[in-house]
Every structure is written in C-alpha cells, then in structure tokens.
Amino acid sequence: MAEVQEATGLNQLQEAHESEQLIFSGEYTKAMSKDWHSGHFCCWQCDDSLTGQRYVLKDDHPYCIKCYEAVFANTCEDCNTIIGIDSKDLSYKDKHWHEKCFLCSKCQVSLVDKQFGSKLEKIFCGPCYDAQFATRCDGCGEIFRAGNKKMEYKARQWHEKCFCCCVCKTPIGTKSFIPRDQDIYCAACYEDKFATRCVKCNKIITSGGVTYKSEPWHRECFTCTNCDTSLAGQRFTSRDDKPYCADCFGELFAKRCTACTKPITGIGGTRFISFEDRHWHNDCFICAVCKGSLVGKGFITDGADILCPDCAKQKLM
C-alpha cells in the first residue's frame, strides 16, 4: 500500500542510531521513523531530494510524486489519463477509473457507491444493464433481478413462481415434471391430459394393455361383448366392430349346419359346404345312407337328405 508522507527538516544535534554515519550538527531530515542527512533522503527512482517534499512510500522505498505516478499510478479507463495520488482510484476486475469518470456507459450516471453490471468491457448502472442485457423469464417475460431464484431447463429459464404446471398452475419446485412442446406439466396433469386411456372404462392404462382396431384397452376390459369372457390372448371374432368369443359369435350370428345344427364359425380354418339355402360342416357333408363323404363329389338331394349317386340309384330301384 503506497503511503503519502512529507519529510520534515530539523536543525539540531542528534545521533542517527540506525545510520551507518553519525549526524553531528547542522540540518537533517526525519522521515520513515529514521534520521537522514538532508542530501541522503532522496527519491528511490530519480534521486531527487525529498527533504521538505511530499513523497509516497512504496514497498518501504520513498518516491517523489512525479516518479510514483509515472511508475505505479493506474490509467483511467474512461479518460485515459493517469490517476494521480490526489485522486480516488476506483477499480473493478483489473480496470481503474477516476471517481468522476466512474459512470454508466449508457446514461452517464455516477456509479460510485451504487450497484452496477459489466458487459462487453463496459460498466452499466443497474437499470441500464437490466434493460439491455438481463435475461428474461420464459414464463412472464420479466427480467431476473438480483436475488431472484432462477429455474433452468434446456436453455430456458423461469422465476421460481413462474416455473409451474401449465394446466393447474402449481409451482413445480423440486418435484418431477414432464415437458411437452413448449409447455411444462406436473405428472398428474400430464397423465390426465396425454396418458393412454382404455376405450371401455376411460381410465389410464399404466402397464400392459391390448390394442384392437387401433384403440387401447385394459386386458381385463377387453372382453366378449355378449358374455364378458376375457378375450386377451384368446381367439375371437367381431361383428359391427364389437369383439365376441367364438362360442357367442357362433350362437348369435353364425350359419348352422343342416346336419348337426351346430354353428359354422369358420374359426380355426373350419371349412363348410353351402348348397341353395343349406350349409354343412365339411365333416357333416355325407351321404344319408352310406355315410360316405360327399366333399368334392357329386351328390343328389332327396328332400332333406343328400345322397351319393350309388345310394340314390339303389333308392330309386
């Protein structure tokens, strides 16, 4: 720390205890708590006498004002002149200003004893800095002032009170959240708005599920329209876009075999024969007399019966 002092000239006899020479009489100088011959107390830089002059003590060495300012004084960032010992030196990040030059780069108001910001190698008062450079909340659009807590997510930022669910407006805080497009949702609102819901019960499907005709179902909700038997993992068919188990579909909608009267469902690859308004399972399409299969063969009808050609001849003879 440099200290400005003034050397004092005295006229009296005194011994210099810490000097290598004795001062017997005449004029001498007292400075830095020591006694000096008048010609020996000089500027450390230029050797000019400091007796009766103001000087600056730097690293335990005395300097005249001119040398001190030339060697050690800082240059003002604003006016680019030396900041002399009689001026207050204000510094920030290795830069220095005269007190009168420490001004906002935008509005020129004095920044002495005021909050200020630095940007692009310049200094600004609080209002000017905020207007030009302060980041703004993605929620309300207002700037972040000193002391405001900032919530950040993927290059976006919010005031703590603005970082809330876009549906229920509850502040997220440290709770989990789900982003979608440019919006933020709490878990409950996201599930309510976007989670997959069963077309039958309209409740959220959290795990598993069945898709039928591009629509989601709970496994337990995907049942036969007629008997409510679960169809998940089972063979089924549909009518009018409604699912039915094989038994119910056969009973309700299938053609019935003329021979056994049971439904012909076609499930599992079952083949059947149709003739006029009558239908038979492949296995049931047999001659009424000899019981031989008529599938792929010629046959003759005899009332409700069908006969192979041989049995028909025998019956006519």
Side-chain angles (χ1 to χ4, degrees):
M1 175 68 71
E3 181 181 353
V4 181
Q5 300 185 22
E6 185 172 342
T8 303
L10 300 174
N11 288 292
Q12 59 183 11
L13 177 64
Q14 184 172 329
E15 181 179 350
H17 296 286
E18 297 180 7
S19 170
E20 293 182 359
Q21 300 181 32
L22 295 177
I23 301 174
F24 291 103
S25 64
E27 185 175 315
Y28 73 97
T29 297
K30 185 175 184 64
M32 299 167 56
S33 300
K34 298 178 182 179
D35 297 319
W36 307 73
H37 286 107
S38 295
H40 288 173
F41 187 59
C42 303
C43 172
W44 189 261
Q45 181 75 14
C46 68
D47 282 336
D48 283 351
S49 174
L50 297 178
T51 300
Q53 304 296 320
R54 296 172 70 205
Y55 67 92
V56 180
L57 189 63
K58 176 74 173 178
D59 298 328
D60 292 329
H61 298 307
Y63 293 85
C64 66
I65 301 303
K66 182 178 179 180
C67 288
Y68 176 83
E69 291 182 345
V71 176
F72 300 109
N74 297 303
T75 301
C76 177
E77 285 289 324
D78 184 59
C79 67
N80 204 34
T81 61
I82 293 296
I83 303 174
I85 63 170
D86 293 321
S87 298
K88 184 179 290 188
D89 184 336
L90 302 180
S91 64
Y92 173 71
K93 289 188 175 180
D94 298 325
K95 295 183 179 182
H96 300 263
W97 292 264
H98 292 103
E99 184 175 16
K100 64 183 178 60
C101 295
F102 194 57
L103 310 173
C104 172
S105 297
K106 179 72 173 176
C107 68
Q108 300 302 304
V109 68
S110 174
L111 300 179
V112 177
D113 295 328
K114 294 181 181 178
Q115 288 186 334
F116 65 92
S118 174
K119 190 78 170 182
L120 306 176
E121 303 297 320
K122 296 181 179 180
I123 53 175
F124 299 86
C125 64
C128 287
Y129 183 90
D130 288 345
Q132 289 191 256
F133 307 111
T135 53
R136 294 183 178 272
C137 173
D138 282 297
C140 68
E142 295 296 323
I143 63 174
F144 292 96
R145 300 196 180 279
N148 287 159
K149 190 172 183 179
K150 185 187 298 184
M151 312 295 288
E152 297 184 348
Y153 176 73
K154 287 189 175 180
R156 300 178 68 202
Q157 47 200 354
W158 297 263
H159 292 109
E160 186 175 20
K161 64 181 179 59
C162 297
F163 189 58
C164 58
C165 173
C166 65
V167 177
C168 67
K169 306 303 179 184
T170 300
I172 300 296
T174 58
K175 299 190 291 262
S176 60
F177 64 93
I178 303 169
R180 186 182 177 95
D181 299 326
Q182 295 298 309
D183 295 321
I184 298 294
Y185 297 83
C186 66
C189 287
Y190 184 87
E191 285 190 354
D192 185 62
K193 189 174 181 66
F194 299 108
T196 301
R197 292 180 177 275
C198 174
V199 297
K200 184 174 183 179
C201 70
N202 200 39
K203 293 181 180 179
I204 294 172
I205 300 174
T206 57
S207 62
V210 174
T211 299
Y212 171 64
K213 291 189 178 296
S214 301
E215 294 181 323
W217 304 63
H218 288 111
R219 292 179 65 86
E220 60 272 19
C221 291
F222 188 60
T223 59
C224 173
T225 304
N226 187 59
C227 69
D228 273 341
T229 298
S230 175
L231 298 179
Q234 306 297 319
R235 292 177 177 177
F236 67 93
T237 188
S238 64
R239 187 177 179 93
D240 299 328
D241 290 334
K242 296 179 180 180
Y244 293 87
C245 65
D247 290 341
C248 287
F249 184 84
E251 290 295 328
L252 296 173
F253 310 110
K255 295 177 176 61
R256 292 186 175 273
C257 177
T258 300
C260 71
T261 71
K262 293 181 179 179
I264 303 173
T265 63
I267 294 177
T270 302
R271 296 179 179 179
F272 66 96
I273 309 297
S274 293
F275 178 71
E276 294 179 345
D277 292 330
R278 293 187 290 174
H279 311 278
W280 294 265
H281 292 108
N282 267 18
D283 294 342
C284 294
F285 193 57
I286 59 176
C287 175
V289 176
C290 69
K291 308 303 181 183
S293 175
L294 298 177
V295 177
K297 299 178 181 179
F299 62 91
I300 297 170
T301 60
D302 181 25
D305 295 330
I306 52 173
L307 305 172
C308 66
D310 291 338
C311 289
K313 288 180 181 178
Q314 291 294 326
K315 188 172 183 179
L316 293 174
M317 293 179 60

